[in-house]
Amino acid sequence: MRIVVRNSPAHGLATLEECEAVALRAWYGNAASSEDEAIALSVIKRSRLMDGWIECDCLPGRYQPLLAPIQQEHTYTLRRLLPKDEDPGRHEERPNHAHACPFHVDKDAAPSRFDRGYHLRPLPKSERSCIDALPAIPDRLADVSASDRIRSVERNDRPSRLGSILWRVLDKAGTNVIPPLQDERDFSLRDQLARLRSAAREFRVLRTWTLNALMSTWAADYRDPDSRWQRLLATSRPDWPETVRRTGFMGLFATSVSTQTIIPASSARKIDILAKVRQPLRGDPTSRGPFLTLLNVDFGDDDDGPARAVQAYAQPVYNGDTLFPVESGFE
């Protein structure tokens, strides 16, 4: 087995030792010892840190089956990458694992529990003033022998948590309310961001820290460890419990976004997102922008590195002066 470049498996990044390959197969085959699980966990974490895939070596020939490392909320796991039935052109590039391999996908049986589709569940409106920070870095593997009910609790089948935070702040600030035209109000991005920051004082991330104190609206703060925002986050370090990560937030007006990139209006440099930039499911994705984005930031797996944007939610807005939330350009 080896770690290969994501989306370009012809290019290798690292070769796994025999004991590491054995440990991965033993874990997925539900026959691993504690030592095997520790080795498998280190391999999955390393491949995810390298932003790569794991290439299995169970088949002869040019193309080998692929496995994607997945970091869930509390655990790490692997996802078997196979082409969809409606995409026959990828069948040769992504073959199934050998029948004797624990990663083999039996297409005649029920689909993999991890790969099943889930419907979005509505998130009830919350009146609580507490804001969820990032959970602690996972330190264990998923239980592949658990039932559907247990294994599905970490599925991302609910609206984005960052999205719900942003909507609550917008609602508290009244930014989602369009005043009558006869009021002839003058809008500006500075005033709108000031209203959002004022509303953020009503929410708490920790008992002693408000969302406003841990949030920046200036993109340059992301790369400046001496900025007031990062210094406040450093000051807050002793107050964070072990169950969550030290988490900062950024509320940025962005001209455009992609799946893993945000281009803020206040900086010429883009911000890369470790996970994914989520957007509303409704509306036309091709007719969107600009955006009001909310990011959460940590400081690496050891909590001692530079700021790292982990997740982001991009809410389409009418323009940069009003920040009225819309679904797409049709509005």
Side-chain angles (χ1 to χ4, degrees):
M1 286 186 174
R2 61 175 187 158
I3 301 175
V4 297
V5 176
R6 184 184 182 92
N7 291 316
S8 298
H11 305 284
L13 294 174
T15 301
L16 301 185
E17 297 181 2
E18 183 64 26
C19 63
E20 294 175 326
V22 170
L24 283 176
R25 291 191 172 99
W27 161 67
Y28 207 83
N30 198 26
S33 63
S34 298
E35 182 180 358
D36 289 334
E37 289 189 355
I39 295 174
L41 176 61
S42 66
V43 172
I44 296 175
K45 292 175 69 173
R46 174 155 54 102
S47 60
R48 190 179 185 281
L49 188 63
M50 298 172 71
D51 194 27
W53 288 340
I54 296 177
E55 182 185 74
C56 192
D57 57 357
C58 60
L59 294 177
R62 176 183 176 186
Y63 296 109
Q64 296 291 336
L66 299 170
L67 302 162
I70 303 294
Q71 179 181 326
Q72 302 181 125
E73 186 171 348
H74 301 292
T75 59
Y76 283 95
T77 189
L78 288 174
R79 183 175 186 177
R80 300 169 293 183
L81 299 178
L82 292 177
K84 297 180 180 179
D85 292 336
E86 59 268 22
D87 189 13
R90 301 296 299 275
H91 283 193
E92 182 183 3
E93 298 178 16
R94 294 187 179 180
N96 196 355
H97 295 260
H99 284 278
C101 181
F103 294 106
H104 177 76
V105 180
D106 188 357
K107 295 185 178 181
D108 295 330
S112 171
R113 285 175 290 203
F114 183 84
D115 298 332
R116 285 179 182 168
Y118 286 78
H119 298 290
L120 282 173
R121 294 174 289 166
L123 191 66
K125 184 176 180 179
S126 174
E127 299 297 335
R128 68 191 185 103
S129 61
C130 182
I131 296 299
D132 293 326
L134 287 166
I137 296 292
D139 58 357
R140 58 191 175 91
L141 293 169
D143 184 1
V144 295
S145 64
S147 64
D148 279 354
R149 181 183 61 83
I150 297 176
R151 294 187 64 194
S152 64
V153 295
E154 296 192 41
R155 287 291 306 206
N156 197 10
D157 58 343
R158 305 189 72 179
S160 167
R161 289 184 180 179
L162 280 178
S164 65
I165 294 172
L166 181 58
W167 297 333
R168 290 167 65 188
V169 174
L170 288 172
D171 184 60
K172 180 71 71 173
T175 310
N176 56 340
V177 178
I178 301 178
L181 295 177
Q182 56 265 33
D183 286 359
E184 297 183 355
R185 286 185 53 184
D186 292 329
F187 294 96
S188 69
L189 179 59
R190 175 179 294 182
D191 292 342
Q192 295 294 78
L193 291 178
R195 291 174 62 188
L196 293 179
R197 293 196 67 96
S198 178
R201 294 189 180 97
E202 304 294 324
F203 299 94
R204 291 193 174 274
V205 182
L206 298 173
R207 184 177 59 84
T208 54
W209 291 91
T210 65
L211 175 61
N212 176 62
L214 301 180
M215 183 175 72
S216 171
T217 55
W218 186 246
D221 289 347
Y222 179 70
R223 294 181 172 88
D224 183 7
D226 295 324
S227 65
R228 182 176 181 273
W229 172 63
Q230 292 209 33
R231 285 189 280 111
L232 282 174
L233 282 167
T235 303
S236 71
R237 185 195 294 265
D239 299 327
W240 291 90
E242 294 182 356
T243 54
V244 295
R245 272 178 274 177
R246 184 164 57 109
T247 307
F249 297 85
M250 301 195 81
L252 303 175
F253 175 68
T255 54
S256 64
V257 301
S258 64
T259 305
Q260 288 187 296
T261 302
I262 287 176
I263 303 177
S266 59
S267 174
R269 302 178 65 181
K270 66 180 182 180
I271 296 178
D272 294 322
I273 308 300
L274 183 64
K276 185 179 181 180
V277 180
R278 297 188 63 180
Q279 299 185 42
L281 295 180
R282 297 179 61 185
D284 181 11
T286 63
S287 182
R288 284 180 176 169
F291 301 87
L292 177 62
T293 60
L294 184 64
L295 295 68
N296 53 19
V297 175
D298 70 0
F299 295 88
D301 290 356
D302 57 358
D303 194 36
D304 198 30
R308 177 180 68 174
V310 180
Q311 302 166 338
Y313 183 84
Q315 172 63 53
V317 294
Y318 179 63
N319 57 33
D321 293 329
T322 63
L323 296 186
F324 293 148
V326 296
E327 289 185 351
S328 68
F330 291 118
E331 295 180 274

PDB file of all heavy atoms in Angstrom, residues 11-35:
ATOM      1  N   HIS A  11       0.564   9.538  -8.876  1.00  0.00           N
ATOM      2  CA  HIS A  11       1.709  10.155  -8.204  1.00  0.00           C
ATOM      3  C   HIS A  11       1.706   9.750  -6.728  1.00  0.00           C
ATOM      4  O   HIS A  11       0.763  10.036  -5.994  1.00  0.00           O
ATOM      5  CB  HIS A  11       1.654  11.677  -8.330  1.00  0.00           C
ATOM      6  CG  HIS A  11       1.556  12.157  -9.750  1.00  0.00           C
ATOM      7  ND1 HIS A  11       2.632  12.174 -10.610  1.00  0.00           N
ATOM      8  CD2 HIS A  11       0.493  12.614 -10.465  1.00  0.00           C
ATOM      9  CE1 HIS A  11       2.249  12.632 -11.788  1.00  0.00           C
ATOM     10  NE2 HIS A  11       0.958  12.905 -11.731  1.00  0.00           N
ATOM     11  N   GLY A  12       2.752   9.083  -6.314  1.00  0.00           N
ATOM     12  CA  GLY A  12       2.846   8.618  -4.942  1.00  0.00           C
ATOM     13  C   GLY A  12       3.436   9.659  -4.008  1.00  0.00           C
ATOM     14  O   GLY A  12       4.231  10.513  -4.415  1.00  0.00           O
ATOM     15  N   LEU A  13       3.032   9.584  -2.739  1.00  0.00           N
ATOM     16  CA  LEU A  13       3.568  10.471  -1.710  1.00  0.00           C
ATOM     17  C   LEU A  13       4.423   9.718  -0.699  1.00  0.00           C
ATOM     18  O   LEU A  13       5.437  10.232  -0.235  1.00  0.00           O
ATOM     19  CB  LEU A  13       2.420  11.177  -0.969  1.00  0.00           C
ATOM     20  CG  LEU A  13       1.578  12.162  -1.786  1.00  0.00           C
ATOM     21  CD1 LEU A  13       0.393  12.658  -0.955  1.00  0.00           C
ATOM     22  CD2 LEU A  13       2.430  13.339  -2.244  1.00  0.00           C
ATOM     23  N   ALA A  14       4.009   8.511  -0.339  1.00  0.00           N
ATOM     24  CA  ALA A  14       4.758   7.713   0.636  1.00  0.00           C
ATOM     25  C   ALA A  14       4.331   6.260   0.506  1.00  0.00           C
ATOM     26  O   ALA A  14       3.193   5.959   0.132  1.00  0.00           O
ATOM     27  CB  ALA A  14       4.516   8.220   2.057  1.00  0.00           C
ATOM     28  N   THR A  15       5.242   5.363   0.807  1.00  0.00           N
ATOM     29  CA  THR A  15       4.954   3.927   0.781  1.00  0.00           C
ATOM     30  C   THR A  15       4.763   3.424   2.205  1.00  0.00           C
ATOM     31  O   THR A  15       5.572   3.720   3.088  1.00  0.00           O
ATOM     32  CB  THR A  15       6.100   3.158   0.104  1.00  0.00           C
ATOM     33  OG1 THR A  15       6.280   3.647  -1.230  1.00  0.00           O
ATOM     34  CG2 THR A  15       5.784   1.674   0.052  1.00  0.00           C
ATOM     35  N   LEU A  16       3.680   2.688   2.425  1.00  0.00           N
ATOM     36  CA  LEU A  16       3.404   2.154   3.753  1.00  0.00           C
ATOM     37  C   LEU A  16       4.233   0.903   3.998  1.00  0.00           C
ATOM     38  O   LEU A  16       4.482   0.110   3.087  1.00  0.00           O
ATOM     39  CB  LEU A  16       1.915   1.819   3.898  1.00  0.00           C
ATOM     40  CG  LEU A  16       0.911   2.958   3.689  1.00  0.00           C
ATOM     41  CD1 LEU A  16      -0.498   2.466   3.990  1.00  0.00           C
ATOM     42  CD2 LEU A  16       1.253   4.151   4.561  1.00  0.00           C
ATOM     43  N   GLU A  17       4.651   0.745   5.234  1.00  0.00           N
ATOM     44  CA  GLU A  17       5.359  -0.473   5.608  1.00  0.00           C
ATOM     45  C   GLU A  17       4.375  -1.638   5.675  1.00  0.00           C
ATOM     46  O   GLU A  17       3.166  -1.453   5.779  1.00  0.00           O
ATOM     47  CB  GLU A  17       6.050  -0.278   6.957  1.00  0.00           C
ATOM     48  CG  GLU A  17       7.122   0.812   6.947  1.00  0.00           C
ATOM     49  CD  GLU A  17       7.785   0.954   8.301  1.00  0.00           C
ATOM     50  OE1 GLU A  17       7.430   0.165   9.214  1.00  0.00           O
ATOM     51  OE2 GLU A  17       8.643   1.844   8.447  1.00  0.00           O
ATOM     52  N   GLU A  18       4.914  -2.844   5.622  1.00  0.00           N
ATOM     53  CA  GLU A  18       4.063  -4.033   5.614  1.00  0.00           C
ATOM     54  C   GLU A  18       3.196  -4.109   6.869  1.00  0.00           C
ATOM     55  O   GLU A  18       2.013  -4.457   6.808  1.00  0.00           O
ATOM     56  CB  GLU A  18       4.938  -5.282   5.502  1.00  0.00           C
ATOM     57  CG  GLU A  18       4.145  -6.586   5.422  1.00  0.00           C
ATOM     58  CD  GLU A  18       3.286  -6.672   4.167  1.00  0.00           C
ATOM     59  OE1 GLU A  18       3.642  -6.027   3.149  1.00  0.00           O
ATOM     60  OE2 GLU A  18       2.258  -7.374   4.207  1.00  0.00           O
ATOM     61  N   CYS A  19       3.765  -3.742   8.021  1.00  0.00           N
ATOM     62  CA  CYS A  19       2.991  -3.802   9.266  1.00  0.00           C
ATOM     63  C   CYS A  19       1.847  -2.793   9.257  1.00  0.00           C
ATOM     64  O   CYS A  19       0.788  -3.037   9.855  1.00  0.00           O
ATOM     65  CB  CYS A  19       3.909  -3.568  10.466  1.00  0.00           C
ATOM     66  SG  CYS A  19       4.687  -1.934  10.512  1.00  0.00           S
ATOM     67  N   GLU A  20       2.027  -1.673   8.575  1.00  0.00           N
ATOM     68  CA  GLU A  20       0.968  -0.668   8.492  1.00  0.00           C
ATOM     69  C   GLU A  20      -0.176  -1.158   7.610  1.00  0.00           C
ATOM     70  O   GLU A  20      -1.355  -0.966   7.934  1.00  0.00           O
ATOM     71  CB  GLU A  20       1.535   0.647   7.960  1.00  0.00           C
ATOM     72  CG  GLU A  20       2.536   1.303   8.901  1.00  0.00           C
ATOM     73  CD  GLU A  20       3.183   2.533   8.307  1.00  0.00           C
ATOM     74  OE1 GLU A  20       3.408   2.555   7.074  1.00  0.00           O
ATOM     75  OE2 GLU A  20       3.479   3.480   9.069  1.00  0.00           O
ATOM     76  N   ALA A  21       0.159  -1.797   6.486  1.00  0.00           N
ATOM     77  CA  ALA A  21      -0.876  -2.351   5.616  1.00  0.00           C
ATOM     78  C   ALA A  21      -1.649  -3.462   6.324  1.00  0.00           C
ATOM     79  O   ALA A  21      -2.882  -3.550   6.224  1.00  0.00           O
ATOM     80  CB  ALA A  21      -0.247  -2.871   4.325  1.00  0.00           C
ATOM     81  N   VAL A  22      -0.929  -4.307   7.057  1.00  0.00           N
ATOM     82  CA  VAL A  22      -1.582  -5.393   7.806  1.00  0.00           C
ATOM     83  C   VAL A  22      -2.516  -4.816   8.865  1.00  0.00           C
ATOM     84  O   VAL A  22      -3.636  -5.306   9.074  1.00  0.00           O
ATOM     85  CB  VAL A  22      -0.519  -6.306   8.442  1.00  0.00           C
ATOM     86  CG1 VAL A  22      -1.167  -7.279   9.419  1.00  0.00           C
ATOM     87  CG2 VAL A  22       0.246  -7.068   7.365  1.00  0.00           C
ATOM     88  N   ALA A  23      -2.089  -3.749   9.534  1.00  0.00           N
ATOM     89  CA  ALA A  23      -2.909  -3.138  10.584  1.00  0.00           C
ATOM     90  C   ALA A  23      -4.191  -2.536  10.008  1.00  0.00           C
ATOM     91  O   ALA A  23      -5.271  -2.667  10.605  1.00  0.00           O
ATOM     92  CB  ALA A  23      -2.102  -2.067  11.314  1.00  0.00           C
ATOM     93  N   LEU A  24      -4.099  -1.894   8.846  1.00  0.00           N
ATOM     94  CA  LEU A  24      -5.296  -1.322   8.222  1.00  0.00           C
ATOM     95  C   LEU A  24      -6.305  -2.413   7.872  1.00  0.00           C
ATOM     96  O   LEU A  24      -7.506  -2.277   8.138  1.00  0.00           O
ATOM     97  CB  LEU A  24      -4.913  -0.543   6.961  1.00  0.00           C
ATOM     98  CG  LEU A  24      -4.292   0.844   7.152  1.00  0.00           C
ATOM     99  CD1 LEU A  24      -3.876   1.421   5.803  1.00  0.00           C
ATOM    100  CD2 LEU A  24      -5.267   1.792   7.841  1.00  0.00           C
ATOM    101  N   ARG A  25      -5.822  -3.492   7.281  1.00  0.00           N
ATOM    102  CA  ARG A  25      -6.731  -4.577   6.903  1.00  0.00           C
ATOM    103  C   ARG A  25      -7.314  -5.262   8.138  1.00  0.00           C
ATOM    104  O   ARG A  25      -8.490  -5.642   8.155  1.00  0.00           O
ATOM    105  CB  ARG A  25      -5.994  -5.584   6.025  1.00  0.00           C
ATOM    106  CG  ARG A  25      -5.628  -5.047   4.635  1.00  0.00           C
ATOM    107  CD  ARG A  25      -5.151  -6.167   3.718  1.00  0.00           C
ATOM    108  NE  ARG A  25      -4.974  -5.697   2.353  1.00  0.00           N
ATOM    109  CZ  ARG A  25      -3.795  -5.364   1.827  1.00  0.00           C
ATOM    110  NH1 ARG A  25      -2.692  -5.461   2.555  1.00  0.00           N
ATOM    111  NH2 ARG A  25      -3.713  -4.940   0.577  1.00  0.00           N
ATOM    112  N   ALA A  26      -6.512  -5.401   9.176  1.00  0.00           N
ATOM    113  CA  ALA A  26      -7.007  -6.038  10.397  1.00  0.00           C
ATOM    114  C   ALA A  26      -8.087  -5.189  11.055  1.00  0.00           C
ATOM    115  O   ALA A  26      -9.101  -5.711  11.535  1.00  0.00           O
ATOM    116  CB  ALA A  26      -5.847  -6.271  11.365  1.00  0.00           C
ATOM    117  N   TRP A  27      -7.881  -3.863  11.069  1.00  0.00           N
ATOM    118  CA  TRP A  27      -8.898  -2.983  11.671  1.00  0.00           C
ATOM    119  C   TRP A  27     -10.204  -3.051  10.886  1.00  0.00           C
ATOM    120  O   TRP A  27     -11.274  -3.218  11.464  1.00  0.00           O
ATOM    121  CB  TRP A  27      -8.384  -1.543  11.708  1.00  0.00           C
ATOM    122  CG  TRP A  27      -9.493  -0.543  11.865  1.00  0.00           C
ATOM    123  CD1 TRP A  27     -10.299  -0.365  12.950  1.00  0.00           C
ATOM    124  CD2 TRP A  27      -9.956   0.378  10.868  1.00  0.00           C
ATOM    125  NE1 TRP A  27     -11.226   0.621  12.701  1.00  0.00           N
ATOM    126  CE2 TRP A  27     -11.039   1.093  11.431  1.00  0.00           C
ATOM    127  CE3 TRP A  27      -9.548   0.675   9.568  1.00  0.00           C
ATOM    128  CZ2 TRP A  27     -11.720   2.083  10.733  1.00  0.00           C
ATOM    129  CZ3 TRP A  27     -10.223   1.662   8.868  1.00  0.00           C
ATOM    130  CH2 TRP A  27     -11.301   2.349   9.452  1.00  0.00           C
ATOM    131  N   TYR A  28     -10.137  -2.950   9.554  1.00  0.00           N
ATOM    132  CA  TYR A  28     -11.366  -2.936   8.770  1.00  0.00           C
ATOM    133  C   TYR A  28     -12.025  -4.309   8.754  1.00  0.00           C
ATOM    134  O   TYR A  28     -13.242  -4.420   8.579  1.00  0.00           O
ATOM    135  CB  TYR A  28     -11.082  -2.474   7.337  1.00  0.00           C
ATOM    136  CG  TYR A  28     -12.275  -1.828   6.689  1.00  0.00           C
ATOM    137  CD1 TYR A  28     -12.574  -0.486   6.923  1.00  0.00           C
ATOM    138  CD2 TYR A  28     -13.123  -2.548   5.854  1.00  0.00           C
ATOM    139  CE1 TYR A  28     -13.672   0.114   6.343  1.00  0.00           C
ATOM    140  CE2 TYR A  28     -14.226  -1.953   5.268  1.00  0.00           C
ATOM    141  CZ  TYR A  28     -14.495  -0.622   5.516  1.00  0.00           C
ATOM    142  OH  TYR A  28     -15.597  -0.027   4.945  1.00  0.00           O
ATOM    143  N   GLY A  29     -11.234  -5.351   8.944  1.00  0.00           N
ATOM    144  CA  GLY A  29     -11.799  -6.690   9.017  1.00  0.00           C
ATOM    145  C   GLY A  29     -12.248  -7.077  10.404  1.00  0.00           C
ATOM    146  O   GLY A  29     -12.615  -8.234  10.644  1.00  0.00           O
ATOM    147  N   ASN A  30     -12.217  -6.110  11.337  1.00  0.00           N
ATOM    148  CA  ASN A  30     -12.679  -6.324  12.709  1.00  0.00           C
ATOM    149  C   ASN A  30     -11.894  -7.439  13.396  1.00  0.00           C
ATOM    150  O   ASN A  30     -12.446  -8.268  14.114  1.00  0.00           O
ATOM    151  CB  ASN A  30     -14.181  -6.646  12.734  1.00  0.00           C
ATOM    152  CG  ASN A  30     -14.785  -6.443  14.113  1.00  0.00           C
ATOM    153  OD1 ASN A  30     -14.281  -5.646  14.903  1.00  0.00           O
ATOM    154  ND2 ASN A  30     -15.849  -7.175  14.408  1.00  0.00           N
ATOM    155  N   ALA A  31     -10.577  -7.456  13.149  1.00  0.00           N
ATOM    156  CA  ALA A  31      -9.729  -8.477  13.768  1.00  0.00           C
ATOM    157  C   ALA A  31      -8.429  -7.858  14.258  1.00  0.00           C
ATOM    158  O   ALA A  31      -7.376  -8.489  14.227  1.00  0.00           O
ATOM    159  CB  ALA A  31      -9.439  -9.594  12.764  1.00  0.00           C
ATOM    160  N   ALA A  32      -8.504  -6.605  14.712  1.00  0.00           N
ATOM    161  CA  ALA A  32      -7.297  -5.874  15.076  1.00  0.00           C
ATOM    162  C   ALA A  32      -7.061  -5.901  16.575  1.00  0.00           C
ATOM    163  O   ALA A  32      -8.003  -5.870  17.374  1.00  0.00           O
ATOM    164  CB  ALA A  32      -7.392  -4.426  14.594  1.00  0.00           C
ATOM    165  N   SER A  33      -5.797  -5.948  16.939  1.00  0.00           N
ATOM    166  CA  SER A  33      -5.411  -5.785  18.334  1.00  0.00           C
ATOM    167  C   SER A  33      -5.298  -4.291  18.638  1.00  0.00           C
ATOM    168  O   SER A  33      -5.412  -3.442  17.745  1.00  0.00           O
ATOM    169  CB  SER A  33      -4.071  -6.471  18.586  1.00  0.00           C
ATOM    170  OG  SER A  33      -3.051  -5.854  17.806  1.00  0.00           O
ATOM    171  N   SER A  34      -5.051  -3.964  19.885  1.00  0.00           N
ATOM    172  CA  SER A  34      -4.887  -2.556  20.257  1.00  0.00           C
ATOM    173  C   SER A  34      -3.697  -1.939  19.535  1.00  0.00           C
ATOM    174  O   SER A  34      -3.734  -0.773  19.119  1.00  0.00           O
ATOM    175  CB  SER A  34      -4.706  -2.436  21.774  1.00  0.00           C
ATOM    176  OG  SER A  34      -5.841  -2.920  22.452  1.00  0.00           O
ATOM    177  N   GLU A  35      -2.645  -2.735  19.357  1.00  0.00           N
ATOM    178  CA  GLU A  35      -1.468  -2.238  18.645  1.00  0.00           C
ATOM    179  C   GLU A  35      -1.794  -1.979  17.177  1.00  0.00           C
ATOM    180  O   GLU A  35      -1.368  -0.968  16.605  1.00  0.00           O
ATOM    181  CB  GLU A  35      -0.333  -3.252  18.765  1.00  0.00           C
ATOM    182  CG  GLU A  35       0.958  -2.792  18.101  1.00  0.00           C
ATOM    183  CD  GLU A  35       2.067  -3.815  18.236  1.00  0.00           C
ATOM    184  OE1 GLU A  35       1.834  -4.863  18.883  1.00  0.00           O
ATOM    185  OE2 GLU A  35       3.163  -3.579  17.691  1.00  0.00           O
TER     186      GLU A  35
END
